[in-house]
Amino acid sequence: MTSTSATASGNLLRTATSPYLRQHADNPVAWHEWGPAALAAARKSDKPIFLSIGYAACHWCHVMAHESFEDPAIAAILNDHFINIKVDREERPDLDEIYMQATLALNQGQGGWPMSVWLTPDLKPFFAGTYFPPRARYGRPGFVELCEAVAKAWREHRTDIVTQAERLTEVVREGLQPGGVPGAALTLATVDEAAETLASGFDTVSGGMLSGTTNKFPPSMALEVLLRAAHRRPAEDKARARYLHMLTLTLDHMAAGGIYDQLGGGIHRYSTDVEWHVPHFEKMLYDQALVTRIYLDAFQYTARPLYARIAREICDYVLDDLTAPEGGFYSTRDADSEGEEGRYYVWTRAEVLAALGEEDGVLFCAHYDVRDSGNWRDPHHPQVPKNVLRALRDVDCCSKMLSVDKAELCERLGRARRQLLTLRAGRVAPARDEKILCEWNGQMIATLARAGTVLDEPRYVAAATRAADFILQHQWCAGRLHRSYHDGRTLPVAFLSDYACFIDGLLELYEATFEPRWLDMAATLHTATQQHYGDAREGGFFFTADDHEALIARSKDLRDAAVPSGNSVHLLNLLRLGALLGDHAAQKCAAQMLVTFARAVRQSPWSSERFLCGVEFATAGPVEIAVVGPRADERTQALLRTVYACYLPNRVLAWHDPAQPNTRLPMLANRPPLDGQPTAYVCRRGTCAPPVTTPAALAALLT
């Protein structure tokens, strides 16, 4: 969609749906949105395309915008030589995926945002990079010199460029098409081997995955694989103990570190050091969903109150800060405020003591590592001693060190956090990207629905319900999803991940509420997914729909990166739908996926974590639980609470009121109450245990 409202420079972003694109609406660059008009302009002018891809919360995107895109002289070079297109990667992950593949190929596996790619008018990439300073520095070429060199090469060496673009396009196509090996379906042994591979990459001091740099991202999906692998092993198994140690070590350090917002809740995107201390301060909705999910799983498995607290605080953060009045969830909080990354979140010791007073201030500073000299050097103001809050000393240590009763210390620290949070709320907050993405909302709906049951918090289920209703009201149009919503407008395109994640959310909502409409809608969305994204010939699902615009590649990707891939999420959806609805076609489709993606998973288990969870579900089999009894009956509720409290990664749960007409779910067929009491039935791999009527008996079956 191309704006009809342009600035004097020819910039066409003023009425874009994306807040990120609107941030560039006043640039002197003649920006276009991606669309037919922009692509036609490139073909007509015979100019190469300069494609800039980023997102609203991206710090270096802002830096490059301020340094280059706001500079009239640099804009003149761009406008003279290129058709300039700005893309929000969160709205158009299809374009981001394709051209990131090219960027990685040209830069020895290095990529990121802002992504800067030069294309021929027929959309084939021939040069790419990430952030470029306006003039050469940091060991990077200058953007001005680079643009002039590309323009000169286009004029004088067109044939060479076209040849390179053709070769690179083939590399991109091959990279986005993982192949299958017939007869080599994945097994539980594959999951166990992958768990061992993942475990070998964990930091044994501070937890998390070592990647060859100091940056650490929350390894939520890798921890899912380790916990599943541990769960299947006997208590005395050494690998089980090692996997659980990695889980708790990582979650404990993340909870204590600066990557976790110690005042307001919520998780930042990643840590810039191996100790989880100084984060990259942006907050992404998908991280809140994924990190909460693993804390909930860990709480079910270990019963540690810390994990329930962190999960609860992240959910509360989302409800307080990332929830639209109509019910959907916003995308991100920026890292920057007042032109500085992290300014909103950091403190000096003097600020803390002035706000809390000497006595409480000393307690707070001791617990949260607030020093006169600072615990972080802000690159914007290296001379100012700033502190990123982290729980460096636990409460027991501080209680002994300061000779303060533990209960009193906890009460005073809680009061201090509330005081400082109120004070922080008076600062200039980082910008919030208020577009509502179907994919990320689906992830958050699933997590909130699960959190509501695990933590016995009905308001989380209510929030998930409102968000699902919002998506169905505003982003489900004529039998198709629309990925993005902002200011009353939608982007009429969606991807496999939008369908898969929303189906996941609806299935979790069904298991939290047992309202048939959620299961019915999940089945409807699955039908649309199969029709428009399914590969009937080779199995699996394409990222784009069958009627999507023609691009240089149509990917069928499996890679779990910052978010799980659509294929990974939908594998689990198929398995759950198959069990709940008795859908043999869904089960067959899931089985085919284990073959289609077998080679890709074996070659790269560290980028297939959520898919491996699906492999474990498919090969270990579901735990099918049917609860029969009046919903309002406390005995029925007690049985459901028992189920929700257990770590059962392959659980499929259904409920039925025996006073109502027969249900259509096979799981509930021929499941009468036992002796007139609310009753639970538990089946594994086609074998059912005798029905039980007490929470204790049910817990024994489940554990």
Side-chain angles (χ1 to χ4, degrees):
M1 294 182 296
T2 302
S3 165
T4 57
S5 174
T7 62
S9 68
N11 189 313
L12 301 172
L13 301 184
R14 192 169 301 283
T15 59
T17 57
S18 162
Y20 170 65
L21 267 57
R22 291 188 190 184
Q23 289 174 0
H24 294 79
D26 293 322
N27 292 171
V29 178
W31 288 120
H32 297 254
E33 289 188 71
W34 182 281
L39 305 185
R43 291 190 296 269
K44 182 178 180 180
S45 66
D46 196 33
K47 290 181 178 180
I49 293 168
F50 170 60
L51 178 64
S52 176
I53 301 180
Y55 58 102
C58 167
H59 172 71
W60 285 101
C61 297
H62 298 319
V63 172
M64 191 165 178
H66 295 323
E67 291 180 341
S68 294
F69 303 148
E70 295 173 6
D71 185 316
I74 296 177
I77 295 171
L78 288 169
N79 296 343
D80 285 345
H81 298 300
F82 310 112
I83 297 298
N84 305 295
I85 300 179
K86 175 64 72 171
V87 166
D88 181 343
R89 68 176 293 260
E90 295 168 356
E91 277 198 339
R92 292 298 303 264
D94 55 331
L95 300 174
D96 182 68
E97 177 186 47
I98 288 170
Y99 294 110
M100 180 58 77
Q101 193 76 12
T103 303
L104 295 171
L106 288 171
N107 293 274
Q108 293 76 50
Q110 300 298 309
W113 301 275
M115 193 196 319
S116 305
V117 191
W118 282 264
L119 320 176
T120 64
D122 59 355
L123 311 184
K124 294 173 181 174
F126 61 88
F127 189 78
T130 54
Y131 162 78
F132 295 104
R135 302 287 177 182
R137 67 174 188 265
Y138 311 141
R140 294 174 179 268
F143 187 59
V144 171
E145 294 86 353
L146 186 59
C147 287
E148 290 173 338
V150 170
K152 182 178 180 182
W154 180 256
R155 290 192 307 270
E156 299 178 4
H157 304 285
R158 176 82 62 92
T159 301
D160 293 341
I161 286 179
V162 169
T163 299
Q164 177 171 324
E166 293 286 352
R167 291 173 180 164
L168 183 56
T169 297
E170 286 306 310
V171 170
V172 169
R173 288 170 178 157
E174 290 173 8
L176 296 177
Q177 290 292 321
V181 180
L186 301 164
T187 66
L188 279 178
T190 311
V191 180
D192 290 337
E193 291 164 8
E196 195 59 32
T197 299
L198 292 169
S200 67
F202 266 75
D203 179 352
T204 58
V205 176
S206 301
M209 301 284 284
L210 296 169
S211 62
T213 70
T214 57
N215 292 343
K216 274 187 182 174
F217 291 80
S220 307
M221 290 178 280
L223 291 174
E224 282 187 75
V225 176
L226 295 185
L227 184 52
R228 281 173 175 266
H231 179 62
R232 283 188 289 103
R233 293 170 182 263
E236 65 276 9
D237 189 284
K238 291 183 179 179
R240 175 182 180 274
R242 187 157 55 93
Y243 297 165
L244 292 176
H245 174 67
M246 291 170 187
L247 172 81
T248 56
L249 180 72
T250 301
L251 296 184
D252 290 352
H253 277 79
M254 283 170 51
I259 192 173
Y260 184 70
D261 183 350
Q262 301 292 337
L263 295 184
I267 198 86
H268 296 292
R269 186 161 175 254
Y270 64 86
S271 173
T272 62
D273 58 83
V274 298
E275 297 179 347
W276 306 106
H277 177 204
V278 180
H280 184 36
F281 288 91
E282 64 195 7
K283 289 181 177 178
M284 318 296 289
L285 179 64
Y286 62 75
D287 279 326
Q288 314 314 312
L290 294 171
V291 172
T292 300
R293 180 178 180 136
I294 190 61
Y295 273 104
L296 289 170
D297 287 349
F299 172 63
Q300 288 177 311
Y301 198 86
T302 68
R304 292 186 60 180
L306 170 66
Y307 300 157
R309 175 175 71 81
I310 297 299
R312 192 183 304 274
E313 289 176 358
I314 298 177
C315 290
D316 288 344
Y317 164 71
V318 171
L319 268 57
D320 291 343
D321 188 52
L322 294 181
T323 304
E326 304 94 331
F329 301 120
Y330 296 138
S331 294
T332 64
R333 267 287 177 195
D334 206 337
D336 300 8
S337 56
E338 300 183 80
E340 297 177 14
E341 184 178 3
R343 182 184 179 104
Y344 183 73
Y345 297 100
V346 299
W347 300 85
T348 65
R349 185 178 175 93
E351 287 175 322
V352 172
L353 295 178
L356 302 179
E358 185 70 23
E359 288 190 11
D360 283 354
V362 167
L363 294 181
F364 186 91
C365 291
H367 181 57
Y368 288 106
D369 189 35
V370 180
R371 313 174 191 175
D372 284 323
S373 58
N375 66 19
W376 173 56
R377 282 287 173 255
D378 181 351
H380 299 288
H381 303 287
Q383 74 283 1
V384 179
K386 295 185 178 181
N387 294 272
V388 177
L389 301 184
R390 58 173 173 172
L392 188 63
R393 303 175 185 85
D394 64 22
V395 172
D396 287 331
C397 175
C398 287
S399 174
K400 295 174 183 177
M401 183 177 74
L402 300 169
S403 300
V404 177
D405 176 73
K406 181 178 177 180
E408 178 189 346
L409 178 62
C410 289
E411 191 277 328
R412 289 168 68 181
L413 286 174
R415 184 173 65 239
R417 284 194 300 271
R418 291 189 294 273
Q419 288 176 264
L420 290 180
L421 186 61
T422 300
L423 184 62
R424 192 178 82 177
R427 297 176 176 177
V428 176
R432 183 171 60 193
D433 185 336
E434 296 187 352
K435 69 175 178 291
I436 294 170
L437 296 174
C438 191
E439 174 188 357
W440 299 3
N441 271 251
Q443 292 172 356
M444 200 68 232
I445 289 165
T447 293
L448 282 169
R450 183 177 294 192
T453 59
V454 173
L455 303 176
D456 196 19
E457 278 285 6
R459 63 196 180 93
Y460 295 155
V461 178
T465 299
R466 288 187 69 225
D469 281 331
F470 177 89
I471 298 293
L472 292 175
Q473 180 179 351
H474 296 285
Q475 292 171 251
W476 174 246
C477 309
R480 303 290 288 272
L481 285 175
H482 289 191
R483 176 174 174 81
S484 180
Y485 174 96
H486 185 253
D487 281 351
R489 299 167 57 204
T490 63
L491 190 71
V493 63
F495 307 97
L496 171 63
S497 52
D498 294 302
Y499 284 83
C501 290
F502 192 38
I503 292 170
D504 179 34
L506 295 175
L507 291 175
E508 290 289 346
L509 262 180
Y510 171 74
E511 293 196 1
T513 68
F514 303 111
E515 293 183 25
R517 66 181 181 124
W518 301 127
L519 188 54
D520 292 342
M521 193 64 218
T524 297
L525 284 165
H526 165 58
T527 299
T529 306
Q530 196 77 45
Q531 177 183 351
H532 295 294
Y533 298 85
D535 183 349
R537 189 167 61 110
E538 296 186 2
F541 295 84
F542 292 106
F543 188 61
T544 54
D546 53 355
D547 55 358
H548 193 74
E549 69 173 289
L551 300 172
I552 64 168
R554 189 184 185 200
S555 75
K556 189 169 62 176
D557 197 18
L558 158 89
R559 283 167 290 194
D560 299 320
V563 293
S565 73
N567 274 296
S568 296
V569 176
H570 204 50
L571 172 61
L572 284 158
N573 292 339
L574 290 166
L575 294 164
R576 295 171 75 183
L577 286 167
L580 280 166
L581 300 175
D583 187 338
H584 299 299
Q587 294 168 333
K588 182 178 179 181
C589 182
Q592 178 60 45
M593 291 178 77
L594 301 191
V595 175
T596 299
F597 296 114
R599 183 171 63 189
V601 170
R602 290 193 174 97
Q603 288 176 341
S604 184
W606 50 86
S607 60
S608 310
E609 298 106 327
R610 181 60 64 80
F611 195 87
L612 284 161
C613 294
V615 174
E616 202 263 352
F617 190 122
T619 50
V623 180
E624 299 178 357
I625 306 169
V627 176
V628 182
R631 187 76 188 272
D633 191 316
E634 172 55 31
R635 295 171 298 175
T636 305
Q637 291 298 315
L639 292 174
L640 290 171
R641 284 196 297 270
T642 301
V643 176
Y644 293 140
C646 288
Y647 175 70
L648 295 167
N650 299 340
R651 183 195 77 195
V652 180
L653 175 64
W655 164 83
H656 179 55
D657 184 342
Q660 300 300 317
N662 288 337
T663 176
R664 63 186 175 84
L665 300 186
M667 278 180 57
L668 296 168
N670 302 312
R671 297 286 191 263
L674 189 65
D675 299 326
Q677 302 181 70
T679 303
Y681 293 81
V682 179
C683 302
R684 289 180 169 89
R685 303 184 71 87
T687 301
C688 298
V692 295
T693 58
T694 67
L698 178 56
L701 284 179
L702 298 180
T703 57

